Amino acid sequence: MVEKKIKKIVIVGPNSAMAKSFIKRNKNNYDFIKIGRKEKHNINNLLSNNLNTTNDYCAVLYFIGNFKKNYAKISQNDFKINFLYLQKSLEHNYKSYLKKKRYIKFIILTSLDSFFPNVNSVGYSVAKSASSHLILNYQRLHKKTKISYFDIQSGAVNTKMRKIKNGDALNVEEISKTIEYILSLDENSTMFPIKIFPKLKNYPVY
């Protein structure tokens, strides 16, 4: 009997709580190529275009993001962490695709702060807005390729970094379930930005 080959998934930002949840739930379903500050594939190599990964993965899951309560102050670090790494990841993925054309799902976790302004951190909100718009442009740009792009715009998620522990936050498992659903879709399917948030959260249009 021929053993079924396990598919590979690239995880950018594997140490986030949401990434850890997905990896734990799917450790027997996929092989993971981890890109992070403390990984064999170092995230900073993206910026210098020196990142080498195999060209046989089927998906990229992008979890990088950093929220800092600095109100109207916009720092270069906001831009670097919340946008530039994504831009470089998209470019790296497309180069990999050109070397070996196959179906790839690129899934990014952004934030509803890209849709609803967040005055607690204008820099984060603006960078996430730019990231979401970048994904929409890539959807159009690569419409005729085998790459599909997905943007999960989540509300507050109950991670260790979140100071307020109450019912107004999503469980990390809900993000994992959403990603698993996307991965189950046909290769020729895509979606507009997916907005997921806790029912009790008071967003302006809900």
Side-chain angles (χ1 to χ4, degrees), residues 13 19 24 47 55 59 67 91 96 99 131 135 154 160-161 178:
K24 182 178 180 180
L47 302 184
N55 299 310
F67 179 90
E91 292 172 358
S96 174
K99 291 177 182 177
S131 294
I135 289 296
S154 75
K160 290 182 179 180
M161 292 180 65
T178 305

Side-chain angles (χ1 to χ4, degrees), residues 64-65 82 109-111 113-114 123-133:
I64 289 180
N82 296 310
L109 184 71
T110 59
S111 170
D113 285 359
S114 65
Y124 177 85
S125 185
V126 169
K128 286 300 184 182
S129 296
S131 294
S132 290
H133 198 67

Side-chain angles (χ1 to χ4, degrees), residues 41-52:
H41 300 290
N42 192 285
I43 187 68
N44 289 315
N45 289 340
L46 274 173
L47 302 184
S48 57
N49 298 315
N50 289 323
L51 185 69
N52 293 312

Side-chain angles (χ1 to χ4, degrees), residues 104-203:
I104 302 174
K105 291 179 179 177
F106 195 108
I107 304 170
I108 173 179
L109 184 71
T110 59
S111 170
L112 278 179
D113 285 359
S114 65
F115 191 72
F116 299 111
N118 188 335
V119 296
N120 287 322
S121 182
V122 174
Y124 177 85
S125 185
V126 169
K128 286 300 184 182
S129 296
S131 294
S132 290
H133 198 67
L134 184 61
I135 289 296
L136 285 175
N137 276 275
Y138 264 79
Q139 278 187 326
R140 177 67 65 86
L141 183 66
H142 293 162
K143 184 176 181 179
K144 295 183 179 180
T145 72
K146 293 181 178 179
I147 308 174
S148 297
Y149 298 93
F150 301 85
D151 179 10
I152 301 174
Q153 299 176 346
S154 75
V157 181
N158 199 0
T159 65
K160 290 182 179 180
M161 292 180 65
R162 182 172 170 78
K163 294 180 179 179
I164 302 173
K165 307 292 184 182
N166 56 32
D168 295 346
L170 292 167
N171 189 303
V172 292
E173 296 286 305
E174 300 309 303
I175 302 300
S176 294
K177 292 174 188 175
T178 305
I179 294 171
E180 289 162 7
Y181 171 72
I182 292 171
L183 291 172
S184 74
L185 294 174
D186 181 87
E187 286 85 355
N188 291 310
S189 301
T190 190
M191 301 174 75
F192 281 122
I194 303 156
K195 295 175 175 57
I196 178 170
F197 55 91
K199 287 177 63 178
L200 296 179
K201 190 68 177 178
N202 184 28
Y203 289 107

